[in-house]
Amino acid sequence: MGVTKTEIFTEQQNRIADLAKAFSHPARVAILQLLIARKACVCGDLVDELELAQATVSQHLKELKRIGIIHGEINPPRVCYCINPVVWEEAQKTFGSLLDTFALATSCCN
């Protein structure tokens, strides 16, 4: 049986790719921006704010929760969402470190 594509990469490479998925769709970026702007947990108004279908918003929230960049707290009858500060900081450090590994002055294609 063949190896799955993710198995040939390191754990760190897979995590970087996972974190990047949080920012890989404009709807997810909009959700993250909304949560950041509110500076509080958001309950239920994401669909109204984003003007997207409930199913679309739910799918993106599911992916963001899987990655861990947001929390979802059940507060019947709603689920409230907010940024997970621990994973947000992980993303900041991870992308900063990755981007810092390339020095603009040493580009070979100039």
Side-chain angles (χ1 to χ4, degrees), residues 15-102:
R15 183 60 179 157
I16 291 169
D18 226 15
L19 289 168
K21 285 180 189 175
F23 303 95
S24 69
H25 193 283
R28 284 187 219 130
V29 172
I31 290 168
L32 292 170
Q33 288 175 322
L34 185 81
L35 294 176
I36 291 166
R38 291 282 181 85
K39 298 179 183 171
C41 288
V42 176
C43 304
D45 14 329
L46 289 170
V47 173
D48 297 332
E49 294 270 348
L50 299 171
E51 298 181 13
L52 295 170
Q54 176 66 53
T56 301
V57 173
S58 293
Q59 191 63 32
H60 289 297
L61 288 169
K62 180 181 175 183
E63 185 65 12
L64 291 168
K65 281 180 19 182
R66 185 194 65 75
I67 294 163
I69 204 152
I70 66 170
H71 290 291
E73 295 181 14
I74 298 173
N75 188 5
R78 300 176 177 197
V79 179
C80 298
Y81 298 97
C82 59
I83 298 290
N84 178 342
V86 173
V87 178
W88 189 265
E89 184 177 359
E90 176 192 3
Q92 285 180 310
K93 288 179 181 177
T94 298
F95 294 129
S97 177
L98 176 64
L99 295 172
D100 287 345
T101 60
F102 178 76

